[in-house]
């Protein structure tokens, strides 16, 4: 599917396809013979790819400035300009579902002022700000996917993009270790300084613009830090790390030399510390699914199984296993999740087609019917409806229609790209599977959804590169 644009005489006169797959390490052939080798040997130019490089490689800077994942909104502007200049614009199959999801979100603004039964709160600036921020992110991600898919493999090789994701994994591991060993680290960002208190003081906004190393929560029955740097919150750190580690392994192990593989092993061993201290059961389940996926679809399943068994044995014998046992023995969040999910489904059923545009606050909590948290009842209240997973957020904000479109988009990607047996293809398909798992436990906005769609763009570029290679042959 393409978005039509002006055709230049030069473009219409070319009869030979453009050089295929200059993405070193895309999995098709690392040493192409004959003419293809000459085509692929040209030094790639990544000048046109600077916005995505600024996002992935410059993430620590964005985090320090107070933008973090919101930097994708800033960088979407030059992406859109560059995309417009290279019309006609290609779009991947199934992307119409994402466009419908965005359209539905625009329509849901009609119900922002409504207060469904079982909830309280009037239309205020915080609700409108939250809606506009999510809208900006959705639009920016649409632009980002089209931008990545329309870059040639000369401008942005697949292996380069994969390794940039690997660099962000290193950043996440460093931030996780900071959260473990210096959990009180925090500072006021420049963006936080300039925003008025009416905006910067909103809890949702404050989480995004105030850099902190960890969240201090009573998950184990006592105060314990959960790493979150450089992302929005602890659960976002878990979702992002589980995706980034996949691309890190592809870039540093599958396509890496001996020294890079040794470094990868050391980094993964260091990453185990914040992964355990995150107390993030969704992350642990996702890593288990990833290991099982590699053993089933990997080129050497027996070797993968042996490595996994050795790593598991080393973990069980380490002090970290005690923390995992304590977390499993203290499932305090289960009651909160059960209450908010049930309330979200009940409220969403009253507006099943377009939802209510944003989250709502329900009466009481899983422990009491008292409305909201107060000085005399600190156990009252609960997180907003739709804050326990992207699926529930879509239900409350866009109804069952929005949730269905989201599921159809990522499930369709799994079906469409399952046959891609290259390392990028198998890794990207695994990410799409994890998205369907995480949507019931993680709020996808903001950084997590960005990584999901970068992974989708990698799959699309891989399939397009395979097609171009076949035509060139």
């Amino acid at each position: 599917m393409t978005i039509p644009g002006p055709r230049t005489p030069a473009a219409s006169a070319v009869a030979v396809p453009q050089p295929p797959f200059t993405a070193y390490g895309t999995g098709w052939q690392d040493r192409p013979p004959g003419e293809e080798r000459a085509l692929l040997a040209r030094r790639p130019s990544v000048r046109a790819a600077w916005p995505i490089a600024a996002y992935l490689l410059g993430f620590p800077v964005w985090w320090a400035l107070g933008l973090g994942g919101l930097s994708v909104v800033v960088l979407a502007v030059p992406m859109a300009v560059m995309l417009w200049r290279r019309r006609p614009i290609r779009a991947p199959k199934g992307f119409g579902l994402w466009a419908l999801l965005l359209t539905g979100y625009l329509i849901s603004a009609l119900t922002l002022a409504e207060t469904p039964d079982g909830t309280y709160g009037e239309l205020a600036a915080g609700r409108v700000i939250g809606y506009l921020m999510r809208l900006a992110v959705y639009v920016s991600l649409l632009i980002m996917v089209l931008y990545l898919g329309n870059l040639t493999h000369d401008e942005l090789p697949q292996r380069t993009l994969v390794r940039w994701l690997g660099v962000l994994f290193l950043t996440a591991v460093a931030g996780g270790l900071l959260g473990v060993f210096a959990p009180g680290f925090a500072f006021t960002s420049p963006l936080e300084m300039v925003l008025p208190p009416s905006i910067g003081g909103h809890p949702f906004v404050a989480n995004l613009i105030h850099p902190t190393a960890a969240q201090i929560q009573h998950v184990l029955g006592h105060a314990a830090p959960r790493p979150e740097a450089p992302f929005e919150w602890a659960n976002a750190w878990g979702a992002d790390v589980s995706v980034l580690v996949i691309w890190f392994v592809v870039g540093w192990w599958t396509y890496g030399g001996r020294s890079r593989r040794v470094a990868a092993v050391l980094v993964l061993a260091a990453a185990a510390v914040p992964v355990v201290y995150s107390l993030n059961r969704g992350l642990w389940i996702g890593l288990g699914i990833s290991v099982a996926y590699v053993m089933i679809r990997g080129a050497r399943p027996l070797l993968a199984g042996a490595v996994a068994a050795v790593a598991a044995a080393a973990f069980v014998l380490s002090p970290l296993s005690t923390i995992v046992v304590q977390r499993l023995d203290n499932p305090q969040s289960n009651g909160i999740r059960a209450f908010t999910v049930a309330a979200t489904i009940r409220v969403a059923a009253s507006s099943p087609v377009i939802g209510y545009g944003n989250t709502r606050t329900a009466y009481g909590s899983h422990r009491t019917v008292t409305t909201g948290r107060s000085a005399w009842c600190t156990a009252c209240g609960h997180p907003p409806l739709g804050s326990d997973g992207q699926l529930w957020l879509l239900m409350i904000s866009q109804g069952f229609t929005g949730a269905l479109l989201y599921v159809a988009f990522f499930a369709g990607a799994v079906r469409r790209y399952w046959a891609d047996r290259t390392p990028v293809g198998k890794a990207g398909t695994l990410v799409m599977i994890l998205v369907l798992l995480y949507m019931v436990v993680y709020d996808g906005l903001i950084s997590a959804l960005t990584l999901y769609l970068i992974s989708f763009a990698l799959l699309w570029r891989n399939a397009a590169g395979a097609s171009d290679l076949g035509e060139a042959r």
Side-chain angles (χ1 to χ4, degrees):
M1 181 170 64
T2 60
I3 300 174
R7 293 182 59 86
T8 62
S12 59
V14 176
V16 179
Q18 292 298 314
F21 247 37
T22 52
Y24 306 106
T26 49
W28 299 107
Q29 358 182 31
D30 287 336
R31 296 177 178 271
E35 183 178 352
E36 292 172 8
R37 179 182 301 168
L39 289 171
L40 297 180
R42 297 188 304 173
R43 184 180 182 87
S45 172
V46 296
R47 184 177 301 174
W50 72 262
I52 197 67
Y55 178 80
L56 296 174
L57 304 182
F59 204 93
V61 177
W62 296 113
W63 177 70
L65 291 174
L67 284 165
L70 285 174
S71 58
V72 72
V73 178
V74 177
L75 294 168
V77 176
M79 290 183 192
V81 172
M82 297 168 70
L83 189 61
W84 182 255
R85 289 176 176 174
R86 60 176 64 214
R87 292 170 293 163
I89 301 171
R90 295 190 306 166
K93 292 180 179 179
F95 206 59
L97 293 171
W98 192 263
L100 287 174
L101 184 69
L102 178 58
T103 303
Y105 195 56
L106 289 170
I107 297 173
S108 71
L110 298 174
T111 56
L112 272 175
E114 296 187 14
T115 304
D117 291 341
T119 68
Y120 65 95
E122 299 178 353
L123 180 64
R127 187 181 297 178
V128 175
I129 291 172
Y131 172 85
L132 293 176
M133 289 181 67
R134 290 188 179 97
L135 178 61
V137 171
Y138 284 143
V139 172
S140 300
L141 294 182
L142 181 144
I143 293 171
M144 182 195 69
V145 171
L146 294 177
Y147 160 79
L148 286 174
N150 283 271
L151 288 177
T152 68
H153 291 279
D154 277 329
E155 294 170 320
L156 180 58
Q158 289 282 78
R159 183 178 292 189
T160 298
L161 180 53
V162 168
R163 285 186 173 161
W164 286 351
L165 288 166
V167 172
L168 184 53
F169 175 72
L170 296 176
T171 301
V173 172
L177 292 172
L178 178 67
V180 171
F181 296 108
F185 178 82
F187 59 91
T188 302
S189 69
L191 180 60
E192 194 176 1
M193 295 177 185
V194 300
L195 283 180
S198 59
I199 298 177
H202 188 272
F204 177 69
V205 178
N207 271 333
L208 299 177
I209 66 174
H210 183 65
T212 54
Q215 285 182 286
I216 308 299
Q217 298 180 342
H218 290 73
V219 177
L220 299 178
H222 58 83
R226 299 183 63 198
E228 65 174 6
F231 305 116
E232 301 90 48
W233 35 73
N235 280 347
W237 189 90
D240 294 349
V241 164
S242 66
V243 171
L244 291 171
V245 70
I246 296 170
W247 296 116
F248 176 76
V249 170
V250 173
W252 288 59
W253 181 269
T254 305
Y255 294 136
R258 179 176 299 178
S259 59
R260 195 178 289 267
R261 288 185 173 186
V262 172
V265 172
L266 297 176
V267 170
L268 292 174
V273 176
V275 164
V276 172
Y277 274 91
S278 71
L279 306 176
N280 201 315
R281 291 172 297 175
L283 167 60
W284 300 343
I285 294 172
L287 293 176
I289 291 175
S290 299
V291 171
Y293 178 91
V294 170
M295 292 174 62
I296 294 172
R297 297 202 73 194
R300 298 177 181 178
L302 293 179
L303 177 60
V307 172
V310 172
F315 172 76
V316 170
L317 296 175
S318 73
L320 296 176
S321 60
T322 304
I323 300 174
V324 175
V325 173
Q326 291 178 358
R327 176 65 179 98
L328 297 178
D329 289 340
N330 290 272
Q332 282 93 344
S333 61
N334 291 355
I336 300 174
R337 286 184 178 273
F339 175 85
T340 54
V341 168
T344 298
I345 295 174
R346 183 175 62 253
V347 172
S350 62
S351 180
V353 179
I354 63 173
Y356 290 100
N358 204 343
T359 60
R360 293 293 189 274
T361 303
Y363 285 111
S365 71
H366 68 296
R367 292 178 177 174
T368 175
V369 296
T370 304
T371 303
R373 184 178 290 106
S374 63
W376 58 271
C377 185
T378 57
C380 302
H382 55 84
L385 301 184
S387 61
D388 285 325
Q390 187 68 16
L391 182 67
W392 320 119
L393 174 62
L394 289 165
M395 281 188 183
I396 193 72
S397 62
Q398 294 182 247
F400 297 111
T401 304
L404 181 62
L405 288 171
Y406 184 88
V407 173
F409 176 76
F410 287 106
V414 174
R415 178 191 59 81
R416 190 174 302 111
Y417 299 114
W418 181 265
D420 188 343
R421 303 286 298 181
T422 67
V424 169
K426 288 188 285 188
T429 304
L430 172 58
V431 174
M432 299 298 101
I433 293 172
L434 291 179
V435 173
L436 297 174
L437 164 68
Y438 290 158
M439 69 181 180
V440 298
V441 294
Y442 289 144
D443 182 353
L445 294 178
I446 298 173
S447 57
L449 193 57
T450 304
L451 295 178
Y452 298 161
L453 288 175
I454 291 176
S455 302
F456 174 83
L458 274 163
L459 283 171
W460 172 30
R461 287 165 53 87
N462 222 43
S467 176
D468 291 346
L469 184 58
E471 292 177 4
R473 283 174 175 170

